[in-house]
Structures are given as structure tokens and as C-alpha cells.
Amino acid sequence: MDFEISDKMKAVLEMMNEFLEKEVIPLEPEYLNRSFVGMLPELEEKRRIVKQMELWAPQHPKEYGGMSLDIIEFGLVSEVLGRSPLGHFVFGAQAPDAGNIEILHLHGTEEQKKTYLKPLVAGEIRSCFSMTEVELAGSNPVLLATTAVKDGDDYVINGHKWYTSSADGAAFAIVMAVSNPEASPYLRASMIIVPTDTPGFNLVRNIPVMGHQGSGWASHGEILYQNCRVPQKNLLGPEGAGFVIAQERLGPGRIHHCMRWIGICNRAFALMCSRALNREIAPGKTLATRQIIQAWIAECAAEIQAARLMVLHAAWKMHHLGQKEAREEISLIKFYTAGVMQKVVDRAIQVHGGLGMSDDTVLAFFFRHERASRIYDGVDEVHKVTVARRILREYEGKKVR
Ligand SMILES: Cc1cc2nc3c(=O)[nH]c(=O)nc-3n(C[C@H](O)[C@H](O)[C@H](O)COP(=O)(O)OP(=O)(O)OC[C@H]3O[C@@H](n4cnc5c(N)ncnc54)[C@H](O)[C@@H]3O)c2cc1C
């Protein structure tokens, strides 16, 4: 594997990093203490400058105003932007829009691309992805109760979803609903585009998560679909292909998330080292002189490096051999990187003592909000079981000495 980064990418990463340091990180204290929606005017101004600098929507197609970076290049970008909770949003690379853009690009009709994809990449509208249900285990995706029943030229959708991230203020949702109840489990559901101003699309609340209600893009919605009627032309991809498309959406999404988490690790690690060097715990002695802190620093450095190389390797495999061939690596990086991030942020908080618990640094925000990384996009346990089964199959019937 070649670890060399092209000169073009080096320049891109440098520019992004500089912008993040000078223009985005200074906004964080306000973000940590105020609502996301309250900050939108400032954020939109930053987005305008990013567009002018031609650094907008790095992983999305050039024809729609993006930079057309490949999965490895965008992984490196995601690492830089991940250092701030606002990074991806300011550069037009945020979830869940990023995943929705990918599937609209792959499966959207010309009309869907014009109505939804184009303004979404341009950052003029936002979207959400509505799959997980209140009453059924999300870790088993085939358990879906939401229905989409054909009536004339329409689908009529009924169901109760939650954790539809960023639903508040979104222009449309991509909804997973059972359209073909008689089909086999993986062919029963379809993806349907539902504009959020459709009667019967009811945002019940933004779910308080770890003490935060959230607003706008930074929120997680509970939604009741009550006789929500949309034209059948809003079907995204073939009928019954919901799970196949969801899988396509998740592969690259996991690389993006994992590299974002490496960015969080890098930020927490830098804060930890700096605090250790500057916090005097006895006359003339800083925390950095203590072996236990030195051991944490060495262990974190090794684990971050291991996770980073694993993710880049998975991205490389996906880029060169395809998503299917990289399935095992993707499951491994998903739970491993989330675990490393959790440990690194936790240790950084420990080194900061009381300061780490406060919102005077970004660490407590990371600790609260990124705990979810072990739950969304596949819970840890399912990834582990899936990988283990695949590995065990390789040994079946083999004599090992
Ligand atoms: C912050 C956040 C954002 C999210 N964003 C979205 C979104 O935008 N759109 C969307 O549709 N969903 C979203 N989700 C939902 C997420 O995908 C689900 O929470 C996830 O799939 C788990 O489903 P569940 O919550 O129903 O947990 P359950 O399925 O009830 O699982 C609970 C626990 O059981 C254990 N478990 C489950 N299965 C197994 C198994 N096979 N073996 C061993 N243990 C197991 C795990 O420890 C798991 O955490 C989000 C969730 C969070 C927290």
C-alpha cells in the first residue's frame, strides 16, 4: 500500500486545516453553550467562504458543485474536519446528507436528482434518513413495521420512527417502509422520498440525547407517519430494494465516520498532551513527568495509529476491490475505531480533571455525543458477531496444527 499523499491533496488538507483552526474552532464555545439553529447565520457565512475557496462538498460529484474526491482522499479530509464538531457541516460534508446524496446520485431519477440532489449538494436544503423504529430492535434491520401501501398513484405511509437525525428543519426524509410484505425479509422494504411538509409527516419532538435537546441539523427526531401520502414517483431505486441500497449507503458512511472519529482522537490527544505539559501538580513538576500519564500517551498514540491505518486500509480495499470485498474490514474498523475514540476521549478528560468535565473544552461534548458511535451504523455486538462468524467459517473443516 502506498502511503504517499498527492501534492494536490496535501494542499487541500492544509487549506482545510487552516480554515478549521482560524474560522471554525473559535465558534465552538458558542456551539457548546447555544443552540445550533441560533448559530446558523454565522455558519452559513463560513459555508459561503468555503464554497468560494472551492473546498465545498469534498466527496460529492463535481457536476453538482463538489470536489469529486475518492473514498481514500475523503477519508483524509474527514480526519481533518472531524477535529471540530462543526467541521463537516461547514464544508458541506455532513451526515446524514452525505449518505443520502450518495444514494440519490446512484439511484435517483432525473427528476429526483433535479428536485432533491442538486439543492442538497449545494447546501440549500437538508435531509434525513428515517429507518429506526421506536418499537422494534434497530440492530435487526429487517424488523420494520412502517408500511407503504399503494393507493392510486400514491404510497400511503404509516409508522413510528425515531432517531431520524437532523429531521428538524430538513426538506425531505428518505423513509424505509415495508412495500412488499409478502416478499422475503430482505426484499420487503423500499426507500421512499417524503418531503417533510407532506401532511401526515409529524415531527413529534427532538429527542433529548445526553442532556441536549438539539436543534436543526444537530438533533435527532421522533416522527409519526400518519397516512402520509406521496406520489409513487418518489420511490428511490427499485421497489423492494431498500435493504440493498441501505447497505450501499452504509459502506462508505462507515469509512467517513471512522476517519471523523480519528480526527476526534487527534484533537483529544493534542489537548491531553498539552494539558499534561502545562499542568503543574507539584512545585516544578507537571503531569507529563508522571509515568502513568506517559503510558497513557504512548498507548493512545499506538491505538490511534493502529485504528487510522486500519481505516485507511479498509478505504483502500473498498476503492480498489469494491464494497463487498471490504465487508470484513468495514465491520472491524467500525467497532474498533469507536472503542479507541471512546478510550482516548475518556483519558483526555481524566488528564484534564474537573476542567475535562466542564464545557470549557470540547472534550465533554465529544464524550457525550460520540458515545452513540458504538450504537448507530451497526451496534458493536452485531459487527463483532458478523466478523467472528465469517472468520470461523474459514476454519471449518480445517486441521490446524
Ligand atoms: C445518536 C444517534 C443517531 C442515530 N441516527 C439515526 C438516523 O439518522 N436514522 C436512523 O434510522 N437511525 C438512527 N439511529 C438509530 C440507530 O441506528 C439504532 O439505535 C441502532 O440500529 C440500534 O437499534 P436500537 O436502538 O433499537 O437498539 P436494539 O436493537 O434494541 O439493541 C440494543 C442493544 O442490544 C445489543 N444487541 C443487539 N443485537 C445484538 C446481537 N445480535 N447480539 C448481541 N447483542 C446485541 C446491543 O448492545 C445493542 O446496543 C441513531 C441512533 C443514535 C443513538
Side-chain angles (χ1 to χ4, degrees):
M1 186 177 177
D2 186 356
F3 288 96
E4 189 62 34
I5 298 171
S6 69
D7 288 344
K8 181 196 100 180
M9 269 316 290
K10 276 185 199 154
V12 165
L13 295 173
E14 226 166 85
M15 279 195 284
M16 287 181 165
N17 205 22
E18 201 181 326
F19 193 83
L20 202 80
E21 285 289 337
K22 287 194 182 143
E23 305 287 339
V24 182
I25 289 180
L27 294 178
E28 283 176 1
E30 203 182 336
Y31 178 53
L32 300 184
N33 296 300
R34 225 176 106 189
S35 81
F36 175 82
V37 166
M39 288 188 67
L40 262 181
E42 284 150 287
L43 293 171
E44 287 301 345
E45 175 55 17
K46 303 294 175 200
R47 294 179 124 200
R48 194 186 58 74
I49 303 170
V50 165
K51 282 178 190 167
Q52 264 178 2
M53 292 168 74
E54 297 185 12
L55 295 174
W56 178 254
Q59 78 275 41
H60 300 311
K62 265 202 174 118
E63 53 179 310
Y64 289 99
M67 294 172 70
S68 282
L69 297 186
D70 67 33
I71 186 90
I72 305 172
E73 293 169 331
F74 181 66
L76 296 167
V77 163
S78 201
E79 179 184 16
V80 169
L81 302 185
R83 292 177 59 241
S84 171
L86 296 167
H88 283 73
F89 183 81
V90 167
F91 283 78
Q94 73 284 353
D97 298 318
N100 289 345
I101 286 169
E102 268 159 34
I103 55 178
L104 277 164
H105 189 58
L106 286 174
H107 300 283
T109 61
E110 282 314 308
E111 191 185 336
Q112 288 169 350
K113 286 182 182 171
K114 192 165 155 252
T115 314
Y116 301 107
L117 177 59
K118 219 163 165 258
L120 194 56
V121 180
E124 291 158 6
I125 57 171
R126 286 195 297 97
S127 66
C128 54
F129 185 71
S130 202
M131 179 162 171
T132 306
E133 308 199 344
V134 178
E135 300 297 338
L136 294 168
S139 52
N140 184 354
V142 295
L143 298 179
L144 275 187
T146 299
T147 52
V149 177
K150 279 182 179 157
D151 185 37
D153 292 337
D154 300 332
Y155 281 114
V156 179
I157 301 174
N158 280 288
H160 191 185
K161 304 277 190 184
W162 78 339
Y163 278 102
T164 299
S165 297
S166 313
D168 183 11
F172 68 94
I174 297 181
V175 182
M176 275 284 271
V178 176
S179 53
N180 303 66
E182 310 305 330
S184 61
Y186 282 98
L187 296 172
R188 291 168 71 228
S190 298
M191 286 200 188
I192 300 171
I193 301 171
V194 178
T196 54
D197 59 3
T198 310
F201 178 99
N202 300 308
L203 176 60
V204 179
R205 60 170 178 155
N206 286 335
I207 308 159
V209 174
M210 293 274 181
H212 277 240
Q213 186 90 34
S215 67
W217 169 68
S219 69
H220 307 284
E222 176 179 339
I223 298 165
L224 254 183
Y225 295 88
Q226 290 172 304
N227 292 325
C228 186
R229 186 179 281 273
V230 293
Q232 282 177 33
K233 65 176 183 178
N234 282 22
L235 178 72
L236 179 58
E239 201 172 63
F243 289 115
V244 177
I245 302 175
Q247 271 316 111
E248 284 175 7
R249 186 180 183 279
L250 282 174
R254 285 172 181 149
I255 302 271
H256 303 168
H257 275 310
C258 286
M259 286 308 280
R260 184 172 67 77
W261 300 335
I262 297 292
I264 291 173
C265 287
N266 293 340
R267 179 91 184 273
F269 185 72
L271 284 166
M272 172 162 70
C273 292
S274 166
R275 184 71 177 170
L277 283 168
N278 292 300
R279 186 63 160 174
E280 218 176 64
I281 44 147
K285 294 280 176 196
T286 64
L287 265 180
T289 62
R290 296 299 184 254
Q291 278 190 345
I292 192 157
I293 306 293
Q294 293 167 358
W296 287 355
I297 287 170
E299 283 164 13
C300 285
E303 286 171 26
I304 297 168
Q305 169 90 319
R308 183 175 189 271
L309 294 177
M310 276 172 77
V311 183
L312 286 174
H313 174 253
W316 176 86
K317 203 163 173 187
M318 190 188 280
H319 183 63
H320 291 284
L321 304 175
Q323 205 177 135
K324 207 167 164 205
E325 287 299 312
R327 260 186 322 196
E328 191 171 312
E329 283 77 5
I330 290 167
S331 273
L332 290 174
I333 60 166
K334 169 64 181 49
F335 73 79
Y336 185 71
T337 313
V340 167
M341 172 182 57
Q342 208 187 352
K343 195 162 150 194
V344 171
V345 172
D346 183 68
R347 285 200 166 153
I349 287 178
Q350 193 68 15
V351 166
H352 281 74
L355 176 62
M357 294 298 295
S358 76
D359 281 337
D360 289 356
T361 79
V362 71
L363 292 170
F365 176 93
F366 284 147
F367 190 82
R368 287 193 301 272
H369 289 271
E370 302 301 342
R371 174 62 181 84
S373 61
R374 293 178 50 206
I375 294 173
Y376 60 70
D377 278 14
V379 297
D380 272 10
E381 292 74 16
V382 170
H383 282 295
K384 287 180 186 176
V385 166
T386 312
V387 163
R389 280 202 195 123
R390 204 168 293 142
I391 292 171
L392 286 170
R393 267 202 302 273
E394 286 170 27
Y395 289 91
E396 268 171 16
K398 270 190 193 162
K399 207 169 176 185
V400 179
R401 289 168 201 262

mmCIF file of all heavy atoms in Angstrom, residues 1 30 54 69 111 122 127 133 141 150 172 193 239 266 284 292 311 334 349 389:
data_model
loop_
_atom_site.group_PDB
_atom_site.id
_atom_site.type_symbol
_atom_site.label_atom_id
_atom_site.label_comp_id
_atom_site.label_asym_id
_atom_site.label_seq_id
_atom_site.Cartn_x
_atom_site.Cartn_y
_atom_site.Cartn_z
ATOM 1 N N MET A 1 0.849 -1.192 0.000
ATOM 2 C CA MET A 1 0.000 0.000 0.000
ATOM 3 C C MET A 1 0.887 1.244 0.000
ATOM 4 O O MET A 1 1.844 1.330 0.760
ATOM 5 C CB MET A 1 -0.878 -0.006 1.260
ATOM 6 C CG MET A 1 -1.884 1.102 1.278
ATOM 7 S SD MET A 1 -2.922 0.950 2.754
ATOM 8 C CE MET A 1 -3.928 2.394 2.596
ATOM 9 N N GLU A 30 -19.357 28.849 21.497
ATOM 10 C CA GLU A 30 -20.737 29.289 21.302
ATOM 11 C C GLU A 30 -21.641 28.082 21.014
ATOM 12 O O GLU A 30 -22.752 27.966 21.521
ATOM 13 C CB GLU A 30 -20.762 30.261 20.124
ATOM 14 C CG GLU A 30 -21.938 31.194 20.156
ATOM 15 C CD GLU A 30 -21.939 32.096 18.940
ATOM 16 O OE1 GLU A 30 -20.865 32.321 18.343
ATOM 17 O OE2 GLU A 30 -23.036 32.547 18.584
ATOM 18 N N GLU A 54 -13.494 26.876 -3.087
ATOM 19 C CA GLU A 54 -13.651 25.625 -3.851
ATOM 20 C C GLU A 54 -13.270 24.393 -3.032
ATOM 21 O O GLU A 54 -12.640 23.464 -3.522
ATOM 22 C CB GLU A 54 -12.881 25.700 -5.167
ATOM 23 C CG GLU A 54 -13.414 26.800 -6.061
ATOM 24 C CD GLU A 54 -12.760 26.844 -7.426
ATOM 25 O OE1 GLU A 54 -12.049 25.897 -7.793
ATOM 26 O OE2 GLU A 54 -12.981 27.863 -8.113
ATOM 27 N N LEU A 69 -13.781 13.960 -4.663
ATOM 28 C CA LEU A 69 -12.669 13.197 -4.068
ATOM 29 C C LEU A 69 -13.073 11.731 -3.933
ATOM 30 O O LEU A 69 -14.245 11.428 -3.724
ATOM 31 C CB LEU A 69 -12.329 13.743 -2.674
ATOM 32 C CG LEU A 69 -11.830 15.183 -2.583
ATOM 33 C CD1 LEU A 69 -11.390 15.508 -1.161
ATOM 34 C CD2 LEU A 69 -10.680 15.445 -3.561
ATOM 35 N N GLU A 111 -35.619 13.453 -12.392
ATOM 36 C CA GLU A 111 -36.446 14.436 -11.675
ATOM 37 C C GLU A 111 -36.046 14.512 -10.189
ATOM 38 O O GLU A 111 -35.949 15.600 -9.614
ATOM 39 C CB GLU A 111 -37.928 14.030 -11.805
ATOM 40 C CG GLU A 111 -38.862 15.123 -11.323
ATOM 41 C CD GLU A 111 -40.324 14.691 -11.330
ATOM 42 O OE1 GLU A 111 -40.677 13.770 -12.088
ATOM 43 O OE2 GLU A 111 -41.091 15.286 -10.561
ATOM 44 N N ALA A 122 -25.714 21.477 -2.921
ATOM 45 C CA ALA A 122 -25.414 22.916 -2.854
ATOM 46 C C ALA A 122 -25.579 23.464 -1.431
ATOM 47 O O ALA A 122 -25.222 24.611 -1.161
ATOM 48 C CB ALA A 122 -26.331 23.667 -3.812
ATOM 49 N N SER A 127 -31.522 17.098 4.635
ATOM 50 C CA SER A 127 -32.353 15.897 4.534
ATOM 51 C C SER A 127 -32.150 15.025 5.780
ATOM 52 O O SER A 127 -31.310 15.341 6.629
ATOM 53 C CB SER A 127 -31.947 15.098 3.296
ATOM 54 O OG SER A 127 -30.631 14.605 3.464
ATOM 55 N N GLU A 133 -37.066 2.298 14.231
ATOM 56 C CA GLU A 133 -38.426 2.442 14.774
ATOM 57 C C GLU A 133 -38.412 2.359 16.294
ATOM 58 O O GLU A 133 -37.556 1.695 16.876
ATOM 59 C CB GLU A 133 -39.320 1.358 14.175
ATOM 60 C CG GLU A 133 -39.222 1.374 12.659
ATOM 61 C CD GLU A 133 -40.361 0.685 11.957
ATOM 62 O OE1 GLU A 133 -41.098 -0.077 12.617
ATOM 63 O OE2 GLU A 133 -40.510 0.928 10.747
ATOM 64 N N PRO A 141 -32.230 -4.987 11.181
ATOM 65 C CA PRO A 141 -32.897 -4.043 10.271
ATOM 66 C C PRO A 141 -34.138 -4.600 9.589
ATOM 67 O O PRO A 141 -34.997 -3.833 9.166
ATOM 68 C CB PRO A 141 -31.818 -3.694 9.241
ATOM 69 C CG PRO A 141 -30.797 -4.766 9.374
ATOM 70 C CD PRO A 141 -30.873 -5.284 10.764
ATOM 71 N N LYS A 150 -49.774 0.998 -1.582
ATOM 72 C CA LYS A 150 -50.144 1.704 -2.819
ATOM 73 C C LYS A 150 -51.627 2.051 -2.803
ATOM 74 O O LYS A 150 -52.470 1.214 -2.436
ATOM 75 C CB LYS A 150 -49.845 0.828 -4.022
ATOM 76 C CG LYS A 150 -48.393 0.866 -4.425
ATOM 77 C CD LYS A 150 -48.172 0.014 -5.651
ATOM 78 C CE LYS A 150 -46.717 0.077 -6.052
ATOM 79 N NZ LYS A 150 -46.316 -1.070 -6.846
ATOM 80 N N PHE A 172 -36.609 17.032 3.292
ATOM 81 C CA PHE A 172 -37.211 15.728 2.990
ATOM 82 C C PHE A 172 -36.531 14.623 3.794
ATOM 83 O O PHE A 172 -35.412 14.798 4.283
ATOM 84 C CB PHE A 172 -37.139 15.412 1.490
ATOM 85 C CG PHE A 172 -35.748 15.160 0.965
ATOM 86 C CD1 PHE A 172 -35.229 13.878 0.870
ATOM 87 C CD2 PHE A 172 -34.937 16.221 0.546
ATOM 88 C CE1 PHE A 172 -33.945 13.645 0.385
ATOM 89 C CE2 PHE A 172 -33.657 15.999 0.061
ATOM 90 C CZ PHE A 172 -33.162 14.708 -0.024
ATOM 91 N N ILE A 193 -38.937 8.803 -0.871
ATOM 92 C CA ILE A 193 -38.630 10.201 -0.527
ATOM 93 C C ILE A 193 -39.909 10.879 -0.050
ATOM 94 O O ILE A 193 -40.917 10.892 -0.766
ATOM 95 C CB ILE A 193 -38.067 10.961 -1.753
ATOM 96 C CG1 ILE A 193 -36.791 10.265 -2.258
ATOM 97 C CG2 ILE A 193 -37.803 12.421 -1.408
ATOM 98 C CD1 ILE A 193 -36.280 10.798 -3.583
ATOM 99 N N GLU A 239 -38.503 -1.006 -6.348
ATOM 100 C CA GLU A 239 -39.323 -1.401 -5.213
ATOM 101 C C GLU A 239 -38.714 -2.659 -4.582
ATOM 102 O O GLU A 239 -38.279 -3.564 -5.297
ATOM 103 C CB GLU A 239 -40.759 -1.668 -5.660
ATOM 104 C CG GLU A 239 -41.736 -1.575 -4.508
ATOM 105 C CD GLU A 239 -43.194 -1.646 -4.977
ATOM 106 O OE1 GLU A 239 -43.571 -2.697 -5.532
ATOM 107 O OE2 GLU A 239 -43.912 -0.659 -4.798
ATOM 108 N N ASN A 266 -7.391 12.682 17.400
ATOM 109 C CA ASN A 266 -6.235 13.579 17.240
ATOM 110 C C ASN A 266 -6.401 14.840 18.087
ATOM 111 O O ASN A 266 -5.459 15.313 18.721
ATOM 112 C CB ASN A 266 -6.045 13.976 15.774
ATOM 113 C CG ASN A 266 -5.634 12.791 14.911
ATOM 114 O OD1 ASN A 266 -5.144 11.782 15.420
ATOM 115 N ND2 ASN A 266 -5.854 12.897 13.606
ATOM 116 N N GLY A 284 7.337 22.663 40.303
ATOM 117 C CA GLY A 284 8.289 22.324 39.229
ATOM 118 C C GLY A 284 8.004 21.003 38.530
ATOM 119 O O GLY A 284 8.767 20.570 37.674
ATOM 120 N N ILE A 292 2.523 7.269 34.697
ATOM 121 C CA ILE A 292 1.207 6.745 34.296
ATOM 122 C C ILE A 292 0.635 7.574 33.143
ATOM 123 O O ILE A 292 0.028 7.038 32.215
ATOM 124 C CB ILE A 292 0.233 6.647 35.497
ATOM 125 C CG1 ILE A 292 -0.994 5.828 35.086
ATOM 126 C CG2 ILE A 292 -0.214 8.014 36.013
ATOM 127 C CD1 ILE A 292 -1.744 5.206 36.239
ATOM 128 N N VAL A 311 -8.401 1.888 9.125
ATOM 129 C CA VAL A 311 -9.467 2.563 8.361
ATOM 130 C C VAL A 311 -8.964 2.889 6.948
ATOM 131 O O VAL A 311 -9.676 2.667 5.959
ATOM 132 C CB VAL A 311 -9.958 3.852 9.072
ATOM 133 C CG1 VAL A 311 -11.100 4.477 8.278
ATOM 134 C CG2 VAL A 311 -10.412 3.567 10.491
ATOM 135 N N LYS A 334 -15.331 -0.401 12.274
ATOM 136 C CA LYS A 334 -16.478 0.284 12.886
ATOM 137 C C LYS A 334 -16.419 0.142 14.417
ATOM 138 O O LYS A 334 -16.501 1.125 15.137
ATOM 139 C CB LYS A 334 -17.783 -0.262 12.307
ATOM 140 C CG LYS A 334 -19.056 0.162 13.018
ATOM 141 C CD LYS A 334 -19.320 1.650 12.947
ATOM 142 C CE LYS A 334 -20.567 2.139 13.653
ATOM 143 N NZ LYS A 334 -20.831 1.744 14.994
ATOM 144 N N ILE A 349 -10.082 13.412 29.179
ATOM 145 C CA ILE A 349 -10.887 14.031 30.242
ATOM 146 C C ILE A 349 -10.218 13.783 31.596
ATOM 147 O O ILE A 349 -10.083 14.689 32.418
ATOM 148 C CB ILE A 349 -12.330 13.472 30.220
ATOM 149 C CG1 ILE A 349 -13.088 14.041 29.020
ATOM 150 C CG2 ILE A 349 -13.073 13.785 31.527
ATOM 151 C CD1 ILE A 349 -14.512 13.541 28.854
ATOM 152 N N ARG A 389 -18.237 -14.783 12.872
ATOM 153 C CA ARG A 389 -18.824 -15.912 12.115
ATOM 154 C C ARG A 389 -18.065 -16.122 10.805
ATOM 155 O O ARG A 389 -17.766 -17.249 10.419
ATOM 156 C CB ARG A 389 -20.287 -15.606 11.801
ATOM 157 C CG ARG A 389 -21.187 -15.882 12.984
ATOM 158 C CD ARG A 389 -22.618 -16.104 12.471
ATOM 159 N NE ARG A 389 -23.552 -16.023 13.578
ATOM 160 C CZ ARG A 389 -24.569 -15.193 13.653
ATOM 161 N NH1 ARG A 389 -24.820 -14.350 12.667
ATOM 162 N NH2 ARG A 389 -25.376 -15.195 14.685
#
